Amino acid sequence: MSDTVVVGLDVGGTSTRATVLTLTGHRVGTGRAGGGNPTSHGAERAAAELLTALREALTDVDPTRAAAGTIGLAGAGRLLADPTGRAAFDQAWHDAGLRCPYEVHGDALVAYASGTAAPHGTILIAGTGAITAQIDELRLDRIADGHGWLLGDAGSGFWLGREAVRRLLADLDTGRGLGALATTVLTELLGSADIAARPRDTVDATIQTVTRRPPVELARLAPLVVDAATHGDPVATALITEAAAHLSESMSRIRPAGAVTPIVLGGGLLTADTPLATAVRSAIARDWPDAPLRTAGDGATAAAWLAARGLPEVTDPAALHAHLFPAP
């Protein structure tokens, strides 16, 4: 047992992280590479980043010691349904020297497992996108939102960025003076808060700047909303309140009223000390007052734990989880 290790990967749109753990919870290797989500980057590039992270994590570890592995990524179902994509991941796994089996799970499950070992509960994620999922026996069950920027992700970083621009455009349309948030957003987009003599010219320039970029880039405006709300800007504060209501509503679609299973918060907007995290926590305390509330931790470590818990040598997965994710 002392020689056995497990491998966990957290594959995201901006980075791929790998962790190698012993079955006693000792971290013996870590690796990092670029974004490896096959949905956004393509299977071949994603597999190449996966291999880079694995090789770094296994630098000082004989890969034949690995007994199991778990890969967590958004769009796991699409990868599993794509023979070409799965073959690319299989090849990367083999090229890293690994001969053990591995499982692929959605990033929502991995985020949940980074917050609690409880087999049943709820994960709410708000980062660039937003999704809620019920967990049953540590498997994804019912899911709400996660519909993408065009059709959903209400309350996400993208949503906050888009709504901030929409309110800026409304102010320019009506000729109202710009508040703190609108001024900051206009400056971020156009490099200046100056409004043209004909305000419609500024409207057109703003629209052109936004539409020439990938839509998801609107999420980079979310920190401006968070900062403005922190400093009391009324428009930003209203957006935060609305975003929290959207996130709470998505939870209520799939989580029974009064449920007492754990709730895990994930994504940068909810794991950091932000006004949105505070508002969401207040909504949870109101609607699910008896539910333990946890914050997501390291996804790669959680993925490795998911791999380890299925091994016969691991007789107390909950104790291993407590060791890996000690209570604050």
Side-chain angles (χ1 to χ4, degrees), residues 25-110:
H26 178 59
R27 186 177 288 102
V28 293
T30 61
R32 190 181 184 96
N37 189 303
T39 301
S40 55
H41 298 299
E44 289 189 6
R45 176 181 166 187
E49 300 294 350
L50 184 83
L51 178 57
T52 298
L54 283 172
R55 282 177 169 163
E56 183 177 337
L58 294 165
T59 299
D60 298 318
V61 182
D62 179 358
T64 63
R65 290 171 53 192
T70 295
I71 299 174
L73 79 162
R78 288 188 290 273
L79 174 69
L80 295 173
D82 174 19
T84 301
R86 184 58 190 262
F89 270 53
D90 286 347
Q91 188 63 51
W93 195 259
H94 186 272
D95 289 349
L98 295 164
R99 299 296 179 265
C100 62
Y102 70 91
E103 292 187 340
V104 178
H105 293 296
D107 58 344
L109 176 64
V110 171

Side-chain angles (χ1 to χ4, degrees), residues 10-295:
D10 183 17
V11 181
T14 58
S15 68
T16 299
R17 294 178 299 110
T19 292
V20 182
L21 298 177
T22 68
L23 299 189
T24 56
H26 178 59
R27 186 177 288 102
V28 293
T30 61
R32 190 181 184 96
N37 189 303
T39 301
S40 55
H41 298 299
E44 289 189 6
R45 176 181 166 187
E49 300 294 350
L50 184 83
L51 178 57
T52 298
L54 283 172
R55 282 177 169 163
E56 183 177 337
L58 294 165
T59 299
D60 298 318
V61 182
D62 179 358
T64 63
R65 290 171 53 192
T70 295
I71 299 174
L73 79 162
R78 288 188 290 273
L79 174 69
L80 295 173
D82 174 19
T84 301
R86 184 58 190 262
F89 270 53
D90 286 347
Q91 188 63 51
W93 195 259
H94 186 272
D95 289 349
L98 295 164
R99 299 296 179 265
C100 62
Y102 70 91
E103 292 187 340
V104 178
H105 293 296
D107 58 344
L109 176 64
V110 171
Y112 176 83
S114 73
T116 180
H120 306 280
T122 307
I123 174 72
L124 171 62
I125 299 175
T128 299
I131 190 171
T132 303
Q134 280 292 94
I135 307 299
D136 183 25
E137 294 295 348
L138 283 173
R139 296 279 177 176
L140 287 178
D141 189 17
R142 299 180 62 197
I143 297 174
D145 208 345
H147 298 152
W149 64 267
L150 183 61
L151 299 174
D153 287 357
S156 68
F158 170 84
W159 184 93
L160 285 171
R162 184 192 64 193
E163 294 304 306
V165 175
R166 291 179 67 185
R167 281 154 178 75
L168 163 64
L169 294 174
D171 286 345
L172 291 170
D173 284 345
T174 59
R176 289 193 295 262
L178 301 185
L181 176 61
T183 299
T184 302
V185 170
L186 183 60
T187 302
E188 175 68 21
L189 292 174
L190 301 185
S192 169
D194 293 339
I195 300 173
R198 180 175 178 269
R200 187 66 193 186
D201 292 340
T202 301
V203 169
D204 291 341
T206 300
I207 294 171
Q208 290 169 11
T209 298
V210 170
T211 55
R212 285 172 179 169
R213 298 172 179 171
V216 72
E217 286 197 15
L218 282 171
R220 68 186 177 86
L221 300 176
L224 303 182
V225 181
V226 170
D227 183 69
T230 300
H231 290 88
D233 179 77
V235 175
T237 300
L239 285 178
I240 292 295
T241 300
E242 190 175 347
H246 280 305
L247 295 171
S248 179
E249 189 277 330
S250 74
M251 288 184 62
S252 68
R253 297 180 200 173
I254 58 174
R255 182 177 172 88
V260 298
T261 54
I263 297 172
V264 178
L265 301 181
L269 287 171
L270 299 182
T271 56
D273 182 16
T274 68
L276 182 57
T278 300
V280 167
R281 287 175 177 272
S282 295
I284 289 171
R286 179 194 68 225
D287 297 335
W288 297 281
D290 298 319
L293 187 56
R294 307 283 186 258
T295 301

